[in-house]
Amino acid sequence: MTPRARAVGINHVALEVGDLEEALSFYGRIFEIELRGRTRGMAFIDIGDQFIALSEGRTQQPDQARHFGLVVDDKEAARAALKDAGVEISGGRGLNFRDPWGNLVQVVEYADVQFTKAPGVLRGMGLEGREKHPEALRELSEKGLA
């Protein structure tokens, strides 16, 4: 049998947007963002030790179910920022919204998910001491990761 690589993480997510400046402005009203860099037609936003790539030139209609989950330090702060920006929050069990180009974003709080950052990354992001909720700790434990 041919050896297979094991997926161990996600380097980045790329979102198609209509206009980079509008996208940076939109996401900057919702989240604290730091621009990592730019190339022609793309902008890269740091999210700790990962990044999101915004790619100019949306070519399709909004998807019905395709989405990405964005982990934040404070989901209620994100909810307030979305409301202040006049962004419609979708129904459902989470904090979901569509950006102006139809990208569906599910916002989840760090304490609620099994996803975890290394202590040095947490420290560098000013998030040290954040506790995971019991359900997230159970999921990590069941996988032998806690």
Side-chain angles (χ1 to χ4, degrees):
M1 177 179 207
T2 304
R4 296 174 293 153
R6 181 173 56 142
V8 297
I10 295 173
N11 180 35
H12 68 277
V13 172
L15 299 178
E16 288 183 333
V17 297
D19 179 271
L20 282 179
E21 296 307 320
E22 286 179 36
L24 290 168
S25 176
F26 173 80
Y27 281 103
R29 287 192 309 270
I30 311 304
F31 307 106
E32 293 179 16
I33 63 171
E34 184 175 328
L35 192 60
R36 174 189 194 120
R38 291 181 81 139
T39 62
R40 185 172 180 204
M42 296 194 83
F44 308 97
I45 298 171
D46 270 334
I47 51 173
D49 57 342
Q50 299 168 306
F51 66 95
I52 294 175
L54 300 177
S55 178
E56 193 166 53
R58 180 77 183 189
T59 59
Q60 71 232 23
Q61 295 296 315
D63 298 300
Q64 294 302 309
R66 185 171 41 184
H67 65 278
F68 80 101
L70 184 62
V71 180
V72 298
D73 63 341
D74 186 340
K75 186 168 79 172
E76 292 312 310
R79 183 185 308 277
L82 286 163
K83 287 182 180 179
D84 285 350
V87 177
E88 181 180 340
I89 297 171
S90 305
R93 70 171 241 228
L95 178 57
N96 306 329
F97 71 93
R98 287 191 185 274
D99 72 9
W101 303 277
N103 295 303
L104 180 58
V105 181
Q106 291 184 340
V107 179
V108 294
E109 191 159 333
Y110 180 76
D112 293 333
V113 295
Q114 65 176 326
F115 163 86
T116 189
K117 297 270 190 192
V121 173
L122 288 171
R123 189 171 41 260
M125 295 175 67
L127 298 174
E128 67 273 33
R130 296 279 173 138
E131 297 293 325
K132 291 285 191 182
H133 289 151
E135 180 65 18
L137 289 172
R138 184 189 60 74
E139 289 177 6
L140 286 166
S141 180
E142 286 175 357
K143 292 183 176 183
L145 299 173

